[in-house]
Amino acid sequence: KRPFTSTHYFPAQLKERYGDPVDGWMNRIYWGDNLQVMSHLLKEFRGKVDLVYIDPPFDSKADYRKKISLKGESIESDQTTFEEKQYTDIWSNDEYLQYMYERLTILKELISPNGSIYIHCDWRKSHLLRSILDEIFGYANLKNEISWTRTGSHNDTEGRYGRVKDTILFYSKSKQLTFNTQYIDYEQSYIDSEWNELPSGRFWKSENMLDPRGSMKEYDFHGTLARWRTSPEKMEELWNAPQTDVPNSHGRIKLGRNGFPIKRCRIMFLDEMPGVPLGDNWTDISYVAGGAGESHAYPTQKPEKLLERILLTS
């Protein structure tokens, strides 16, 4: 009977490929020291990688383990359960910083001119990683220090506030970065206070169309004289737009009781709005709980929605 042993080290090697070789691109999974892997990829991918997300060690001073069950070899034996060490996250400070510095330096070489990098960390090393990243990528290329609230308050609050967030440091290679703004849904309190509901269930409101600086030339728009914030031609486009169900209106223009446009006159619909532009405080994505469908019982697994958001943005 061969004893079960866990392989603790893999020399860098390409293990899996996914994709269509006809299109010339294959996703790759490498096993091994990422410093070896990235050094190997420099010749092929230097300056070509548009996005990097890394979830490096946090220096959490912990050994991460997973329970493994093996079926027994006899009728009397059902299964054997033991713990396998997945990785150790215990470092000296200098060792950790040197480890990260070497890898971030190579990552910069791999990233394209319009590319960016997201570094996932927490309170333990975020301040030190920022110093390293400022040196490698430049302080001006720090785009955001994102806070991801991954869980609610728990019982680690003796003498301190509960630690419920991770930090994601977002840097670009240059000013010409790829960035697609993401949006989140409006809060119900905002909808209740700002929007009106039609019998059809559609929500609408009217937007102020006066020039906020008062610098536009005054003109008459269908009986209402004002310094409008846009040209007569643009206002006419709203007037001649298809009629809506909003009462006492013409096209996309709200009218007053006298039949003339009010100054807060542009009709807008909630279902045509993209939502609230996403800020740097992410509270809408939960951590991967043990019973979640995507869970693989990996102790520091990150949720797919978190990675999806980063991919769609950058």
Side-chain angles (χ1 to χ4, degrees):
K1 179 179 177 180
R2 295 179 58 191
F4 177 84
T5 59
S6 174
T7 303
H8 296 289
Y9 173 75
F10 294 98
Q13 54 185 305
L14 177 61
K15 295 295 291 187
E16 301 175 47
R17 289 175 177 262
Y18 299 92
D20 185 356
V22 176
D23 294 336
W25 174 257
M26 294 288 288
N27 291 312
R28 310 177 187 185
I29 296 178
Y30 287 87
W31 289 8
D33 187 329
N34 53 44
L35 187 63
Q36 296 180 36
V37 174
M38 291 188 294
S39 300
H40 172 73
L41 294 176
L42 274 174
K43 184 176 181 180
E44 183 178 1
F45 289 109
R46 185 188 296 268
K48 296 180 180 179
V49 177
D50 292 329
L51 171 64
V52 171
Y53 166 87
I54 60 172
D55 185 15
F58 282 22
D59 193 19
S60 61
K61 307 303 181 187
D63 283 331
Y64 289 95
R65 302 173 180 274
K66 180 179 180 180
K67 286 188 176 181
I68 304 293
S69 296
L70 298 179
K71 291 183 178 180
E73 296 183 349
S74 67
I75 297 176
E76 292 79 19
S77 176
D78 294 325
Q79 62 181 16
T80 302
T81 302
F82 62 95
E83 285 189 340
E84 179 189 11
K85 182 188 290 187
Q86 294 187 300
Y87 66 92
T88 296
D89 192 16
I90 302 172
W91 305 77
S92 69
N93 191 58
D94 289 350
E95 180 188 24
Y96 179 85
L97 297 179
Q98 183 65 29
Y99 174 93
M100 292 301 300
Y101 185 87
E102 292 173 354
R103 285 152 180 80
L104 290 167
T105 299
I106 293 182
L107 282 168
K108 183 186 179 184
E109 295 299 313
L110 288 167
I111 295 173
S112 66
N114 64 334
S116 52
I117 181 171
Y118 292 73
I119 302 92
H120 201 130
C121 53
D122 70 1
W123 57 273
R124 296 175 179 90
K125 296 296 182 185
S126 61
H127 58 302
L128 297 173
L129 288 173
R130 270 197 63 171
S131 297
I132 292 175
L133 289 158
D134 285 349
E135 178 182 335
I136 296 173
F137 287 89
Y139 173 79
N141 289 324
L142 169 63
K143 298 305 176 184
N144 287 102
E145 185 176 76
I146 299 164
S147 292
W148 171 43
T149 303
R150 50 182 166 70
T151 183
S153 182
H154 27 82
N155 297 322
D156 60 350
T157 57
E158 185 176 351
R160 67 185 185 204
Y161 299 106
R163 290 168 175 157
V164 298
K165 69 178 181 67
D166 285 355
T167 297
I168 303 174
L169 301 172
F170 168 34
Y171 281 76
S172 64
K173 179 78 170 281
S174 70
K175 294 181 179 179
Q176 288 75 42
L177 76 158
T178 298
F179 188 86
N180 306 302
T181 301
Q182 302 298 304
Y183 298 88
I184 57 176
D185 293 338
Y186 296 108
E187 293 185 1
Q188 189 61 46
S189 59
Y190 164 71
I191 296 174
D192 293 341
S193 64
E194 295 283 337
W195 296 80
N196 309 289
E197 187 173 8
L198 292 169
S200 64
R202 203 176 188 196
F203 287 88
W204 69 277
K205 71 174 183 174
S206 52
E207 180 186 37
N208 187 359
M209 289 302 290
L210 293 181
D211 174 22
R213 294 186 297 272
S215 59
M216 297 287 285
K217 184 178 179 181
E218 193 175 54
Y219 64 89
D220 182 279
F221 177 62
H222 292 276
T224 302
L225 184 67
R227 294 184 185 275
W228 303 103
R229 69 191 305 170
T230 190
S231 66
E233 293 77 17
K234 294 290 186 181
M235 294 293 287
E236 285 297 325
E237 289 180 11
L238 296 172
W239 182 265
N240 295 318
Q243 185 61 37
T244 70
D245 295 334
V246 175
N248 200 21
S249 65
H250 191 288
R252 284 296 184 103
I253 297 294
K254 186 75 173 72
L255 307 177
R257 292 179 181 178
N258 58 6
F260 300 136
I262 62 174
K263 294 175 180 178
R264 192 179 183 89
C265 65
R266 183 185 179 185
I267 295 171
M268 306 173 68
F269 288 96
L270 184 64
D271 56 22
E272 295 175 350
M273 305 294 291
V276 182
L278 181 65
D280 62 3
N281 186 28
W282 297 359
T283 61
D284 59 329
I285 299 176
S286 300
Y287 76 107
V288 182
E294 65 182 273
S295 174
H296 293 285
Y298 191 74
T300 59
Q301 182 181 343
K302 302 303 183 291
E304 292 177 5
K305 285 185 177 180
L306 184 74
L307 304 180
E308 179 185 50
R309 173 170 290 173
I310 291 171
L311 284 163
L312 290 174
T313 302
S314 298

